[in-house]
Amino acid sequence: MSRPSVTRRTAIASAVAATLAAGAFPALSADAAVPAGPNGWVQSTLVRMTLEEKVGQLFVQYAYGKDANTPDPRNTAIFGVATPAEAVKKYHLGGVIYFAWTNSVQNPQQIASLSNGLQQASLSRDSKVDIPLGISIDQEMGVVTRVGPPATQFPGSMALGAGRSTTDARTAAAITGKELRALGVNTNFAPVADVNVNPLNPVIGTRAFSSNPALTADMVAAQVAGYQEDGKVSASAKHFPGHGDTATDSHVAFPVITHTREQWEEMDAPPFKAAIAQGIDMIMTAHLNFPALDDSGDPATLSKPILTDLLRNELGYKGVIITDSLEMQGVRDRYGDAEVAVRALEAGADQLLMTPVMTKAFPAVVAAVKSGRISQTDLDAKVRRVLEQKVRRGIVNDHMVDAAAIDSVVGTPEHLAAADAVTNRTGTLVRNDDAVLPIAAADKKVLVTGYGDVATTTLAAALDRAGSTSTKVTTGAAPNDAQIASSVAAAAGKDYVVVNTMKAWDTAVTDKKAGQQRLVKALQDTGVPVIVVATRDPYDIAYLPGTRTYLATYSYNAVSMESAAKIITGAVAPTGKLPVDIPTKGDPNVVLYPFGHGLSF
């Protein structure tokens, strides 16, 4: 497969340049519609597309394989063809999405090669039009990170909320965007615009910036600018109309949001309004029921009152609306997969993410257009928005990756230093009752235990570099009695114990994570000073009575653990402030540590 001829590429570039020069693609806002650009590449492409090519632009799918041309039987089950390249060609896909479990993100060179192979497949079809792919990923950072080191790592959104710096939030997005673009990824499904007002939220949590709508809105706007203006990738605010107040995970069930319309305006809407005002390219839907906005019982993804009447018309959003994954149970309970695809488009979605079986969904959408259920005018409007986004982000002109340039962008010393500096401004010291922190690490014996092999290994190594002698005993998220006993035995003779927790509050799954609570209690009973490091949700302290030294990092990746070690040893003073209230264990309405709390030394 080869790229289009030089003459053809030049013609495409000229059409795009003329369209941009004419001002056909300003930043999207609630106050100004995107002009159609009738004399530009979008219009000239749209009029030459077949029905099937138009419908294909509405689908964003994953495909299995580390490269574009290796067969995988799992692709055959979804697409009826074996390779990612064949899937792109057969269905004229508008986009693809990368995951680790699809073997898409093994290392920078592999990712770049896959991106180039898929783009070549998209541009080598037997067609009158050349339309590059939108290549997407969930690189939120923190708990949802698809591309690991050597790419630059940042803590998650809630850590940035604790840092309170919109400049840092934009920097994190800008660096992430630039590195993704260097790998051929041109769309990032971030930032999370949900306001995490429910501390028992099992699916959002630290993926959100805060429980405060204003702080969340500021951070969302900053990251949209970082991704799109600085990083040159499309951003996608999620999950509309707001997934922050649920105790149900829409991946496996169907959440219901009980907010009134007034509460939605006050709590859920501000970050999405900020994203729209900042010119967000995409907004992702949520698979949840919001009766105050639509009393039909349908999920928001399938709701015309929510996607068209509210998001499109009331909020004035002009960009692409994409569904969350259509494999999630929250959208599959009421209708079959083919019907879900059609209903989502009828409701107002422009693109369908990860429909489970393309051999059913694609012909269902084609049939819906042919029958008039989806009008040709509506179809063209959806495709136009998708094409406009590709022009706006420079994908039409610049969709191939220069593999030789990757090392000059991805994980550079400058980017890594920026990540360290940002992370050092996020750690939140919640309790330091006995002034244990900072410790004088030199010649001290320290046990590092609890959650996460990467977290404990990184933290122990960092403490050793500061002069301590560390013993590491990793117990994971659900330590059993034998693991707890092993940690307690290792604590003997130590000067300090540092124990990592990770959602120790969440005992919903057969009380397995209560093992973390037992581990902390058992270590406290040894009499050795215990420093608890909450490596994900800051809420753990409410479930850990007797905790007197407590540091929240909000993330368990290496850069966060390096920063934790600096705080523990006094190399960095903690400056983060809680971006959420931490309620008591027994009553979520009683605040134990309020929004804005944070100690220093």
Side-chain angles (χ1 to χ4, degrees):
M1 293 179 291
S2 61
R3 297 176 63 185
S5 68
V6 172
T7 302
R8 196 170 189 183
R9 293 201 307 270
T10 302
I12 292 171
S14 298
V16 173
T19 301
L20 292 172
F25 295 98
L28 296 177
S29 72
D31 301 317
V34 177
N39 298 317
W41 179 83
V42 171
Q43 182 64 18
S44 66
T45 300
L46 189 61
V47 298
R48 289 179 290 128
M49 295 174 72
T50 66
L51 171 59
E52 288 74 18
E53 287 170 337
K54 290 178 180 179
V55 170
Q57 288 298 303
L58 310 184
F59 286 86
V60 178
Q61 295 291 121
Y62 62 80
Y64 291 95
K66 65 183 178 62
D67 61 61
N69 297 304
T70 299
D72 190 304
R74 293 172 293 181
N75 291 327
T76 306
I78 300 169
F79 301 107
V81 292
T83 71
E86 289 172 322
V88 169
K89 290 182 179 181
K90 178 179 179 179
Y91 289 105
H92 320 285
L93 292 179
V96 296
I97 182 171
Y98 289 168
F99 293 99
W101 48 266
T102 57
N103 299 318
S104 305
V105 290
Q106 296 177 354
N107 60 70
Q109 290 293 331
Q110 172 270 322
I111 298 169
S113 177
L114 174 61
S115 298
N116 280 344
L118 292 174
Q119 292 292 11
Q120 288 174 332
S122 185
L123 295 171
S124 64
R125 295 176 291 112
D126 183 16
S127 171
K128 295 180 179 180
V129 294
D130 286 318
I131 305 174
L133 284 167
I135 298 181
S136 57
I137 203 165
D138 295 290
Q139 190 79 347
E140 299 171 12
M141 291 300 179
V143 67
V144 177
T145 300
R146 310 303 188 203
V147 182
T152 303
Q153 305 296 296
F154 284 90
S157 297
M158 191 170 284
L160 295 175
R164 296 293 199 275
S165 171
T166 54
T167 299
D168 284 352
R170 180 166 181 165
T171 295
I175 290 174
T176 300
K178 289 174 183 177
E179 295 194 5
L180 289 176
R181 192 63 187 260
L183 304 178
V185 177
N186 49 52
T187 302
N188 192 14
F189 291 135
V192 172
D194 303 314
V195 182
N196 199 69
V197 296
N198 189 338
L200 302 181
N201 194 321
V203 65
I204 303 301
T206 56
R207 297 170 64 193
F209 291 102
S210 176
S211 61
N212 180 281
L215 176 58
T216 303
D218 289 345
M219 292 289 173
V220 165
Q223 290 225 304
V224 172
Y227 286 127
Q228 297 188 169
E229 297 175 26
D230 306 328
K232 309 305 180 185
V233 298
S234 289
S236 178
K238 58 189 184 185
H239 309 80
F240 190 84
H243 211 314
D245 192 6
T246 174
T248 303
D249 185 349
S250 55
H251 290 84
V252 297
F254 186 32
V256 177
I257 304 295
T258 59
H259 290 183
T260 65
R261 171 61 190 249
E262 291 73 23
Q263 288 173 321
W264 178 81
E265 292 279 3
E266 178 183 348
M267 288 191 286
D268 302 292
F272 292 101
K273 290 181 178 179
I276 292 170
Q278 191 60 48
I280 188 85
D281 278 350
M282 305 180 85
I283 290 179
M284 181 180 286
T285 68
H287 304 326
L288 48 76
N289 183 17
F290 209 127
L293 303 180
D294 178 2
D295 61 5
S296 69
D298 278 340
T301 297
L302 308 183
S303 169
K304 189 172 183 179
I306 291 175
L307 300 190
T308 297
D309 297 343
L310 179 57
L311 180 54
R312 241 347 141 213
N313 297 336
E314 288 191 41
L315 300 189
Y317 178 57
K318 306 300 180 185
V320 170
I321 299 174
I322 187 167
T323 71
D324 203 345
S325 167
L326 296 181
E327 291 190 340
M328 293 166 61
Q329 200 59 42
V331 77
R332 301 178 74 184
D333 281 348
R334 301 189 71 175
Y335 310 102
D337 292 331
E339 180 66 12
V340 162
V342 175
R343 284 178 177 257
L345 295 171
E346 285 183 309
D350 298 309
Q351 287 193 304
L352 307 169
L353 180 63
M354 297 166 56
T355 190
V357 184
M358 279 292 287
T359 54
K360 295 180 180 179
F362 185 86
V365 175
V366 171
V369 176
K370 288 182 176 179
S371 71
R373 183 176 173 185
I374 296 174
S375 71
Q376 187 67 53
T377 298
D378 193 19
L379 174 64
D380 285 354
K382 295 177 187 298
V383 176
R384 185 184 299 279
R385 284 189 284 267
V386 172
L387 297 182
E388 286 171 346
Q389 177 181 318
K390 293 180 178 184
V391 172
R392 199 161 46 243
R393 290 301 141 227
I395 301 169
V396 175
N397 263 349
D398 185 20
H399 45 270
M400 303 297 285
V401 173
D402 179 4
I406 291 174
D407 289 344
S408 67
V409 179
V410 176
T412 63
E414 294 80 8
H415 286 181
L416 296 176
D420 286 341
V422 168
T423 308
N424 287 340
R425 291 188 280 269
T426 64
T428 306
L429 184 58
V430 178
R431 289 192 74 160
N432 194 24
D433 292 8
D434 302 318
V436 167
L437 299 185
I439 69 170
D443 301 321
K444 293 298 190 297
K445 296 178 181 179
V446 181
L447 169 65
V448 178
T449 188
Y451 174 76
D453 186 60
V454 170
T456 54
T457 299
T458 303
L459 187 52
L463 291 174
D464 285 351
R465 288 195 300 273
S468 71
T469 300
S470 297
T471 301
K472 185 193 76 165
V473 179
T474 303
T475 60
N480 57 35
D481 290 343
Q483 290 171 315
I484 293 172
S486 177
S487 288
V488 168
K494 299 299 188 292
D495 297 296
Y496 300 100
V497 171
V498 180
V499 56
N500 293 337
T501 64
M502 196 285 292
K503 293 186 74 172
W505 65 267
D506 185 3
T507 61
V509 185
T510 63
D511 287 336
K512 285 184 178 180
K513 289 184 180 175
Q516 293 186 60
Q517 299 173 27
R518 296 197 305 273
L519 171 65
V520 172
K521 176 64 165 59
L523 291 169
Q524 290 169 343
D525 288 345
T526 67
V528 179
V530 174
I531 302 161
V532 178
V533 179
T535 66
R536 188 167 171 179
D537 297 5
Y539 311 113
D540 288 357
I541 191 171
Y543 297 74
L544 305 172
T547 297
R548 300 180 65 79
T549 309
Y550 185 84
L551 174 66
T553 64
Y554 312 95
S555 295
Y556 45 72
N557 57 12
V559 70
S560 299
M561 292 298 95
E562 291 279 358
S563 182
K566 293 172 188 174
I567 293 174
I568 290 170
T569 60
V572 168
T575 58
K577 304 297 181 184
L578 285 177
V580 295
D581 288 335
I582 298 179
T584 61
K585 176 182 177 180
D587 188 346
N589 296 312
V590 176
V591 175
L592 189 61
Y593 300 98
F595 173 93
H597 172 79
L599 307 175
S600 192
F601 43 74

